[in-house]
Amino acid sequence: MRTRPLKVALLGCGVVGSEVARIMTTHAEDLAARIGAPVELAGVAVRRPSKVREGIDPALITTDATALVKRGDIDVVIEVIGGIEPARTLITSAFEHGASVVSANKALLAEDGATLYAAAEEYEKDLYFEAAVAGAIPLIRPLRESLAGDKVNRVLGIVNGTTNFILDKMDSSGAGYSEALDEATALGYAEADPTADVEGFDAAAKAAILAGIAFHTRVRLDDVYREGLTDVSAADIASAKRMGCTVKLLAICERAADGKSVTARVHPAMIPLSHPLASVREAYNAVFVEAEAAGQLMFYGPGAGGSPTASAVLGDLVAVCRNKLAEATGPGESAYTQLPVSPMGDVVTRYHISLDVADKPGVLAQVATVFAEHGVSIDTVRQQGKDGEASLVVVTHRAPDAALSGTVEALRKLDTVRGVASIMRVEGE
């Protein structure tokens, strides 16, 4: 075993960073045995140096992250500060000054991963980011390495624990969205400002990363269609139950049937209770991968939190340090296919549409005519009426999303349609 330690700089010491530092200290001997050399925490960059950080030598604390990554004797930089800047500049500077990088920064990777990959390649360093998607669940490395010889056609997953907790509580208790969000906040699953989670931004960033790796093409955050779950109602959950389904916020990345394009999207969807993702409860994450040779694979586990995310970070640290000792680098960007990302309107989906209509003869015929005029086939219809008003629930067969959207707009113009109560896609068949 090499006796000279590999030096590690830690950028950020919040929930994840502090847990990374703790594990590096308490499991130092095990890490050294697995790597083939000891690792030494050489510096920790923070914004508030006066805060007490148990188990971390105060002499390691600095507010000058730029100087830390430019030291020249740092072997690996672990970035867990998040955001676009200064993270992007710090990471590229780390490469320039001789360090490989382990990052948990999903936003930056989704927004400008190409810049990071290019810098890593230019300076012949590693860029690892297992912790950027689905916390402790081994997912990035299987896609980048284990399935590198296969053809992945679809990635379907629950990649945000906050939204899964909210939808699970709505399903299990009958609570409305606001009540379920309040419970998630009280338990610490939701941030004080939950926008990134409930509006789907967090999941969309992860979808962009997954699609790029799975399909060997560049997919940016702007390429991902996104809907949040704030409009999901208790009535939607009840409708799903009547269909033998549940509602999940899904990240869906697909290769087109002709192989000439890909799609990436995040939105609430009804999935059958028989689908493996339907049983994912509480704040857990799960990702379903469909590959040509491997078939269907399921990855499941805690998708967030200090310890789970730190586990993924430390796994990357071990891999990067091993590469350092071997004077090698791991996989870089694989974007050779350069496939275009199709817009949502081209995606073929099913819809569950709930309409408030007048309770009189001929309404169903009018509605069916609109669907037919837009080339959308109806799978099932359920109608309930009382006191001159009725509820009409239509489930379609698969059709282009643009055609389904056009159908809904035409339905709104019918004088017998009082309103569109809810619209939700149906997935996971």
Side-chain angles (χ1 to χ4, degrees):
M1 178 186 292
R2 191 177 97 163
T3 57
R4 183 169 63 84
L6 293 165
K7 294 188 176 182
V8 178
L10 178 61
L11 307 183
C13 198
V15 174
V16 176
S18 59
E19 189 66 8
V20 168
R22 184 192 68 80
I23 295 173
M24 284 186 64
T25 301
T26 57
H27 298 329
E29 291 185 5
D30 287 337
L31 290 172
R34 294 165 191 172
I35 292 169
V39 289
E40 173 189 314
L41 189 59
V44 181
V46 300
R47 287 183 295 179
R48 295 184 294 276
S50 60
K51 181 180 178 181
V52 176
R53 293 172 173 86
E54 187 176 348
I56 298 177
D57 184 351
L60 298 177
I61 302 296
T62 178
T63 58
D64 195 344
T66 300
L68 180 59
V69 302
K70 287 183 175 181
R71 274 177 38 172
D73 65 336
I74 300 297
D75 295 292
V76 184
V77 169
I78 297 176
E79 182 272 312
V80 288
I81 57 177
I84 307 302
E85 289 291 355
R88 174 169 48 199
T89 298
L90 291 170
I91 289 173
T92 54
S93 182
F95 290 137
E96 182 181 356
H97 289 83
S100 290
V101 173
V102 173
S103 176
N105 196 331
K106 55 186 171 289
L108 177 55
L109 287 159
E111 180 68 30
D112 196 18
T115 294
L116 306 187
Y117 278 124
E121 182 178 5
E122 179 181 357
Y123 295 104
E124 298 182 337
K125 301 302 175 187
D126 273 326
L127 173 63
Y128 276 56
F129 47 90
E130 185 68 64
V133 180
I137 304 172
L139 182 59
I140 300 299
R141 195 169 296 133
L143 285 173
R144 291 176 89 183
E145 300 178 30
S146 303
L147 295 174
D150 207 339
K151 181 181 180 181
V152 177
N153 291 316
R154 195 171 194 234
V155 179
L156 173 75
I158 298 165
V159 294
N160 183 274
T162 300
T163 53
N164 198 59
F165 180 88
I166 291 170
L167 290 170
D168 183 42
K169 289 304 172 184
M170 291 175 70
D171 181 84
S172 62
S173 69
Y177 166 76
S178 296
E179 292 84 358
L181 174 59
D182 288 343
E183 184 174 354
T185 304
L187 292 172
Y189 292 126
E191 301 286 346
D193 179 2
T195 303
D197 294 321
V198 300
E199 294 294 352
F201 291 102
D202 176 83
K206 295 170 182 176
I209 295 169
L210 291 174
I213 296 171
F215 307 133
H216 303 279
T217 197
R218 284 183 180 169
V219 179
R220 298 180 68 251
L221 181 59
D222 290 345
D223 295 321
V224 182
Y225 174 84
R226 176 192 56 79
E227 286 181 23
L229 55 72
T230 53
D231 290 332
V232 177
S233 67
D236 293 325
I237 302 294
S239 291
K241 284 186 174 182
R242 285 192 289 268
M243 289 177 58
C245 294
T246 189
V247 177
K248 299 291 185 182
L249 185 76
L250 298 179
I252 305 170
C253 312
E254 294 178 304
R255 189 190 300 269
D258 61 7
K260 295 181 180 180
S261 64
V262 299
T263 59
R265 50 196 165 103
V266 168
H267 55 73
M270 296 180 179
I271 58 172
L273 294 176
S274 58
H275 194 280
L277 292 179
S279 61
V280 178
R281 308 296 299 274
E282 299 283 334
Y284 277 77
N285 283 191
V287 177
F288 200 69
V289 177
E290 298 176 11
E292 201 164 85
Q296 298 179 331
L297 307 172
M298 178 87 161
F299 300 85
Y300 170 84
S307 293
T309 306
S311 171
V313 169
L314 268 296
D316 279 351
L317 176 64
V318 170
V320 169
C321 287
R322 285 172 175 171
N323 290 344
K324 184 83 173 181
L325 293 177
E327 298 183 351
T329 55
E333 182 181 31
S334 177
Y336 70 92
T337 62
Q338 299 183 27
L339 296 172
V341 182
S342 297
M344 186 63 191
D346 293 345
V347 174
V348 177
T349 63
R350 295 178 68 200
Y351 263 51
H352 174 282
I353 304 170
S354 179
L355 305 172
D356 294 326
V357 299
D359 187 16
K360 62 181 183 181
V363 173
L364 181 56
Q366 283 186 319
V367 169
T369 298
V370 170
F371 277 91
E373 289 174 346
H374 287 80
V376 178
S377 176
I378 294 175
D379 182 14
T380 61
V381 177
R382 185 176 71 252
Q383 184 174 7
Q384 293 178 321
K386 184 179 180 182
D387 299 329
E389 297 295 329
S391 173
L392 189 65
V393 177
V394 179
V395 179
T396 73
H397 286 290
R398 291 170 64 83
D401 199 78
L404 288 161
S405 297
T407 302
V408 172
E409 290 307 308
L411 289 171
R412 294 181 193 275
K413 297 176 182 178
L414 293 178
D415 58 4
T416 52
V417 174
R418 309 297 192 217
V420 180
S422 68
I423 308 168
M424 190 170 295
R425 294 174 182 87
V426 182
E427 299 285 347
E429 298 171 278

